[in-house]
Amino acid sequence: MHASMRRPLVSPTAGMQRQPVAAMQLQQKRSLQQPVRVASIQQTSIASLTERKNYFDGPDKRPIILFDGVCNVCNTGVDVALSAQQGGEQMFRFAPLQSEAGRELLQQCGRATDDISSIVLVEPHQHSIKSEAILRIGTKMRAPLGQLAVLGFAVPKFVRDVLYDQVANNRYTVFGKRKDCRVCDGKLKGADYVTK
């Protein structure tokens, strides 16, 4: 028998003090309003999902590398990725983590919009961070980087990520940082730079 069809063994008013009619009406009114508020929250979140830009909708399905735009070592990594891709073909698009597109992509990946603690490789149906992202990017590079990246997968992920975190946590101290966030420049052309 369904729970709502069961009869209570004891009268629902047994042991309860009588409440004034106005208090009962107020309580009923609140209980009726609650589902309405929940429904409106759900509608808002669904609406905001449809307003998000899908960066893989158009003809350009290349993965997007989100990088720290002020970090010197991160920007050097972008330069290496631009120059060492197999066959000279640009296999990636790029966006600084601090850019509007970067923050939106972070949110779509389920990360905080101000999280610049890790590189993020965003692909149409998945994303990778830390050492996993570095190695997945590395496999698309010319020799010897591509082969080194493949070998890197043999190292346990928790070991790789500890090493990644050591570099990431000290990147500004060791490698310095730029005054301004990197945007399109001579090496990072408009077609490879993701904007909102």
Side-chain angles (χ1 to χ4, degrees):
M1 184 184 291
H2 191 270
S4 63
M5 299 172 114
R6 288 189 203 145
R7 292 180 188 251
L9 296 175
V10 179
S11 170
T13 56
M16 293 177 66
Q17 293 180 355
R18 293 189 173 227
Q19 294 180 343
V21 174
M24 288 176 60
Q25 287 175 339
L26 180 62
Q27 189 176 14
Q28 286 175 343
K29 186 177 178 182
R30 284 183 184 156
S31 66
L32 290 174
Q33 288 175 344
Q34 189 174 1
V36 173
R37 276 187 258 141
V38 172
S40 67
I41 290 169
Q42 289 172 342
Q43 288 174 348
T44 303
S45 62
I46 291 168
S48 66
L49 286 174
T50 58
E51 292 171 11
R52 288 183 181 171
K53 178 175 180 178
N54 185 339
Y55 292 88
F56 298 98
D57 260 358
D60 195 347
K61 306 278 190 232
R62 293 178 297 164
I64 302 167
I65 298 173
L66 301 180
F67 66 98
D68 182 347
V70 297
C71 167
N72 284 335
V73 74
C74 303
N75 281 289
T76 300
V78 168
D79 292 340
V80 168
L82 285 167
S83 64
Q85 294 180 59
Q86 295 172 359
E89 181 184 337
Q90 297 302 329
M91 299 184 153
F92 299 105
R93 295 177 285 166
F94 302 86
L97 290 160
Q98 298 92 334
S99 69
E100 192 174 344
R103 289 191 306 272
E104 185 172 53
L105 283 161
L106 281 171
Q107 185 177 31
Q108 288 179 16
C109 292
R111 299 179 64 81
T113 58
D114 61 348
D115 184 357
I116 60 168
S117 66
S118 175
I119 186 171
V120 182
L121 176 62
V122 184
E123 297 173 275
H125 302 290
Q126 67 179 7
H127 73 279
S128 308
I129 61 170
K130 297 186 179 190
S131 66
E132 187 76 15
I134 296 287
L135 293 178
R136 289 178 66 81
I137 293 165
T139 60
K140 305 291 186 193
M141 301 294 125
R142 290 192 303 256
L145 295 175
Q147 288 79 359
L148 290 171
V150 170
L151 291 174
F153 281 108
V155 177
K157 187 176 183 317
F158 75 91
V159 174
R160 296 188 326 243
D161 283 347
V162 166
L163 294 172
Y164 181 91
D165 288 338
Q166 287 299 311
V167 174
N169 292 338
N170 297 296
R171 66 189 185 269
Y172 297 146
T173 306
V174 176
F175 302 103
K177 64 190 249 185
R178 296 173 172 216
K179 240 193 271 188
D180 299 314
C181 186
R182 180 178 190 171
V183 291
C184 295
D185 56 27
K187 293 180 184 175
L188 189 55
K189 307 232 181 324
D192 301 320
Y193 185 78
V194 178
T195 57
K196 181 163 175 157

